[in-house]
Amino acid sequence: MAYDPNNIFAKILRGEIPCKKVHETAHSLAFLDINPQAPTHILVIPKGAYVSYDDFAAKAGEAEIVDFIRATGHVAREAGVDASGYRLLFNHGPDSHQEVPHLHVHILAGRPLGPMLVRPKD
C-alpha cells in the first residue's frame, strides 16, 4: 500500500478537515474517531507520512517514535481507561481492512471488548 498524500488523515493534519482533537505533540495528533466502535475510540497518528507500523518503524526518527508511543500512553491515561483496560489496534493492508493509508492506532475502551478475533465457523 503506497502512501496517499490526499488521505483523510493527511487532510486533517493540514487543517483541511476538522477533527475533535484530544491531544497534540510535535510529532503526533490524537482525535476522536468519527465512527466509534467502543464507548472510547480515539485515533493517534504520527504527523509524518507513514503508511504502516512497519513503514514507521523502518523510517521514522527516534524522536518521532518516542513521541508517538508516549502520546498513545498519555491519551489512554487522560481518557481514564488505563485502570479498566484498553485495546490498541493497528491495521496494515487489505487483509486487516486498513481503510486509511496513514499509520494510526485505535485506542478502544469503555466496555468489555471481547476476543481479539472472531473465530470462523466450521
Side-chain angles (χ1 to χ4, degrees), residues 7 15 37 52 61 78 81 91:
N7 74 69
Q37 303 298 304
S52 67
E78 288 296 309
V81 299
N91 293 314

Side-chain angles (χ1 to χ4, degrees), residues 85-89 106-109 113-116:
Y86 57 93
R87 179 172 294 158
L88 299 178
L89 176 67
H106 300 258
I107 300 174
L108 300 155
L113 297 172
M116 289 289 293

